[in-house]
Amino acid sequence: MKQSFARYLPCLTWASRYDRGAAVRDSLAALIVTLMLIPQSLAYAMLAGLPPVTGLYASILPLVAYTLFGTSRTLAVGPVAVVSLMTAAALGPLFATGSAEYAGAALLLALLSGVVLLSMALLRLGFLANFLSHPVISGFVSASGMLIALGQLEHILGIAVEGENALELLPGLIVGLPHTHPPTLAIGASSLLLLFLVRSRLGNWLERRGVSTRAASNLTRIGPVIALLLATAVVGGLQLADNGVRVVGEVPRGLPSFQLPVLDPALLLQLLPAAVLISLVGFVESVSVAQTLAAKRRQRIEPNRELVALGSANVAAALTGGLPVTGGFSRSIVNFDAGAQTPLAGALTAMGIAITVLFFTPLFRNLPHAVLAATIIVAVLSLVDLAALRRTWRYSRQDAAAMAATMLGVLLVGVESGILLGVGLSLLLFLWRTSLPHIAVVGQLPGSEHFRNIERFSVVQSPKVLSIRVDESLYFPNARYLEDRVAELVGQRPQAEHLVLMCPGVNLIDASALESLEAIATRLHAAGVQLHLSEVKGPVMDRLRRAEFLDHFGGQVFLSQYQALLALDPQTTRHALERQRAPG
């Protein structure tokens, strides 16, 4: 019974073994993540085009929902930069930023994302995230980081710039540069400098003064809080808000109330594509981080249960005035490094955010937008990895092309178009690559029962038997290519009496490929050549047995290529086996 409940509530698995030591470590991790999450939540809400308090609301109940349903012990859920950017990209063309309609649409988008994730969990569709290849995700994240940083420069300079991509933002920044607001620039630039110094130098400085590595690392995480407090104090003390420095203003105090988003059918249809993309991107990011951290502790996560947890978190965000959420990379790393033992650290973090919303929001009144922009810029630039494009190019130019297309699409067109371009190009390249499978003529290695490519090894070939190895599954894009390649190779060897198709790399033969095999068998028979198969995998053999092909193609299916050659040309095969066994 307990195991049955634990299947639906993974929290029961760790709750039964929870002890004081885990509570202490979870509490410490929650404190550090709370201090990190407060400025990030405010900043990412601003990035999404929403009131800053929205980010705090999205960091309370969603974290509790993940605590109940999540399978990762250290994943930290909440607003993240990339999803906030996608939210702004989806809502910006529909409503005026800051309007009530915009905020209502953000709630509906979070609800839709939650429903999409829960539906994927119900249908066990977690595999759909595999269509977002690593190069595409890497290119998308890097380009999004650059686009986000570019978009935040207007808050650093104190100017207004409109645009959704680099082609629109860059000219606006250049035109607005002469109108830079000096006090805002001073706050933004000093905040950037402080945050970069804290991130790059503070840890080493503390370690040289005897602070432990873990403590030094944790102290560097509160850099955004220090910048936030200093900038707020300066703006309030010098009354810079009256001199044109944009500030957050009054932030409502108190916990969010439960509210169901307005279910407008037309708007639902408009937002559904964006919700699907946000769900897929958020799921891939969360699962990647969760699996990486779980592996370090020899733990495991369940992707389909993660769909439930993330879906529940987004539904919770929609019901409490938030925005779409997912697992954050940097916060999860901090949570892990701080020693979090269970998802309860997330619930304790939610408690810290709730206390902040209840008692400390008046402190944010003089919080300048410039310091929030600096927080975003420093956070997202750590996600940019341009060297990955060079590394991928050296290994696979096709994957590098997909990565580059994604990056250019995000930067020059927009986030949704960029990721769709990357996914589409990846699928097209996959179809093109598999439509031309590697097909090798193989021969017997002297003194062994192994067969290798005649172009790479010195082998013995049978004059009577043509051995061909196929290194790809056979399906509709490459079925005709197999026919043409077999015909070409048989034409080059008029003395061949048998053709053995060696299939160790074939994991699938679909209906189109089966028809091609039948056509190959018929044409070979007409030319006086018999088709045989060898090393066919069990699942493929099971499917072939359900068809009529094995009954009438006239050949045999051999367990190994050696057995095939031993049966069809025993003299050559035995001679090759004995060649290097002779003394000397």
Side-chain angles (χ1 to χ4, degrees):
M1 180 67 71
K2 181 179 178 181
Q3 291 181 345
S4 178
F5 279 115
R7 179 183 176 187
Y8 299 101
L9 285 176
C11 61
L12 296 178
T13 302
W14 53 263
S16 60
R17 298 188 296 270
Y18 202 69
D19 56 22
R20 183 176 179 180
V24 171
R25 290 190 287 271
D26 281 347
S27 298
L28 176 61
L31 175 62
I32 296 170
V33 174
T34 298
L35 292 175
M36 183 183 184
L37 185 55
I38 289 172
Q40 283 192 352
S41 296
L42 297 169
Y44 293 154
M46 184 179 76
L47 174 61
L50 295 163
V53 73
T54 304
L56 295 175
Y57 291 163
S59 303
I60 302 176
L61 197 59
L63 277 68
V64 177
Y66 187 84
T67 299
L68 295 175
F69 300 108
T71 60
S72 170
R73 302 293 181 95
T74 52
L75 188 69
V77 172
V80 299
V82 172
V83 170
S84 294
L85 175 65
M86 296 179 73
T87 299
L91 302 182
L94 302 178
F95 304 102
T97 302
S99 65
E101 293 80 7
Y102 189 103
L107 297 180
L108 189 57
L109 185 60
L111 181 63
L112 268 176
S113 298
V115 170
V116 168
L117 289 165
L118 291 172
S119 300
M120 289 174 63
L122 183 64
L123 299 174
R124 304 186 71 81
L125 297 180
F127 70 90
L128 290 178
N130 296 333
F131 287 104
L132 297 177
S133 67
H134 178 74
V136 168
I137 287 294
S138 178
F140 173 72
V141 170
S142 292
S144 296
M146 291 187 286
L147 188 62
I148 290 169
L150 190 64
Q152 294 306 302
L153 289 179
E154 64 170 307
H155 300 293
I156 300 292
L157 300 173
I159 60 178
V161 177
E162 297 292 334
E164 297 180 2
N165 55 58
L167 293 179
E168 296 170 351
L169 291 171
L170 279 173
L173 288 170
I174 294 172
V175 170
L177 199 58
H179 306 289
T180 298
H181 188 248
T184 300
L185 177 60
I187 293 171
S190 58
S191 298
L192 278 173
L193 180 61
L194 173 62
L195 290 171
F196 276 121
L197 287 176
V198 168
R199 173 168 289 206
S200 61
R201 304 289 180 85
L202 181 60
N204 292 333
W205 185 83
L206 290 172
E207 287 184 39
R208 287 197 299 269
R209 278 151 183 77
V211 180
S212 68
T213 301
R214 172 172 285 188
S217 177
N218 289 335
L219 287 172
T220 61
R221 311 297 185 182
I222 64 174
V225 176
I226 296 173
L228 181 151
L229 294 175
L230 289 175
T232 302
V234 169
V235 171
L238 300 179
Q239 297 183 341
L240 294 179
D242 297 332
N243 294 319
V245 174
R246 292 187 61 197
V247 296
V248 169
E250 293 290 342
V251 177
R253 181 190 295 186
L255 296 174
S257 58
F258 284 89
Q259 54 182 326
L260 183 67
V262 178
L263 303 178
D264 182 347
L267 184 58
L268 280 170
L269 290 176
Q270 278 186 296
L271 295 180
L272 183 59
V276 171
L277 281 179
I278 288 174
S279 300
L280 288 175
V281 170
F283 176 61
V284 170
E285 180 178 353
S286 294
V287 169
S288 298
V289 175
Q291 287 178 333
T292 300
L293 297 179
K296 292 183 178 182
R297 293 183 180 174
R298 298 189 179 183
Q299 299 168 347
R300 63 183 297 272
I301 67 165
E302 299 179 24
N304 281 304
R305 300 308 305 166
E306 288 296 295
L307 284 169
V308 173
L310 294 172
S312 301
N314 276 279
V315 171
L319 298 178
T320 53
L323 70 157
V325 298
T326 192
F329 178 78
S330 59
R331 286 196 302 273
S332 298
I333 296 294
V334 171
N335 199 36
F336 179 90
D337 290 342
Q341 298 298 301
T342 71
L344 187 61
L348 295 174
T349 299
M351 186 181 301
I353 300 295
I355 292 172
T356 302
V357 172
L358 283 170
F359 301 107
F360 299 111
T361 52
L363 298 177
F364 303 141
R365 179 175 183 177
N366 291 316
L367 177 61
H369 285 189
V371 72
L372 294 179
T375 300
I376 293 173
I377 290 173
V378 173
V380 299
L381 287 183
S382 65
L383 303 176
V384 178
D385 184 10
L386 296 180
L389 182 59
R390 184 175 64 254
R391 294 193 302 269
T392 306
W393 177 264
R394 288 201 302 264
Y395 183 75
S396 171
R397 294 187 177 184
Q398 295 172 4
D399 288 334
M403 180 185 292
T406 304
M407 296 177 70
L408 291 174
V410 170
L411 288 172
L412 303 181
V413 183
V415 289
E416 294 179 1
S417 300
I419 197 168
L420 289 175
L421 179 63
V423 171
L425 185 57
S426 292
L427 293 177
L428 285 175
L429 289 172
F430 170 77
L431 291 174
W432 175 77
R433 185 169 57 243
T434 56
S435 70
L436 303 172
H438 182 251
I439 297 177
V441 177
V442 297
Q444 186 178 356
L445 284 174
S448 78
E449 298 180 3
H450 301 294
F451 287 75
R452 294 293 185 270
N453 191 335
I454 64 172
E455 296 180 1
R456 294 178 180 270
F457 296 87
S458 177
V459 295
V460 176
Q461 295 187 71
S462 166
K464 297 170 53 180
V465 182
L466 173 60
S467 299
I468 299 177
R469 190 187 70 222
V470 181
D471 296 330
E472 184 65 71
S473 292
L474 300 176
Y475 69 131
F476 65 94
N478 59 29
R480 182 58 60 85
Y481 176 79
L482 176 66
E483 294 182 41
D484 295 341
R485 185 69 176 138
V486 167
E488 177 185 356
L489 292 172
V490 170
Q492 296 171 358
R493 292 166 175 79
Q495 74 278 19
E497 300 175 7
H498 302 274
L499 185 149
V500 182
L501 203 61
M502 187 177 174
C503 306
V506 177
N507 298 312
L508 168 72
I509 298 178
D510 74 355
S512 298
L514 181 63
E515 288 195 9
S516 290
L517 287 179
E518 292 175 342
I520 289 171
T522 300
R523 293 167 188 167
L524 290 177
H525 190 268
V529 179
Q530 178 59 57
L531 174 67
H532 306 274
L533 303 177
S534 75
E535 302 188 17
V536 181
K537 292 184 176 180
V540 177
M541 195 66 190
D542 292 339
R543 297 186 66 164
L544 289 177
R545 288 194 180 102
R546 294 199 295 267
E548 299 178 357
F549 173 75
L550 296 179
D551 298 329
H552 59 67
F553 86 115
Q556 301 180 60
V557 180
F558 296 96
L559 186 63
S560 69
Q561 188 69 12
Y562 176 76
Q563 289 185 359
L565 269 293
L566 192 62
L568 301 174
D569 188 359
Q571 182 176 355
T572 303
T573 305
R574 291 195 180 99
H575 177 69
L577 184 64
E578 295 170 355
R579 268 180 55 177
Q580 290 187 358
R581 289 186 177 178

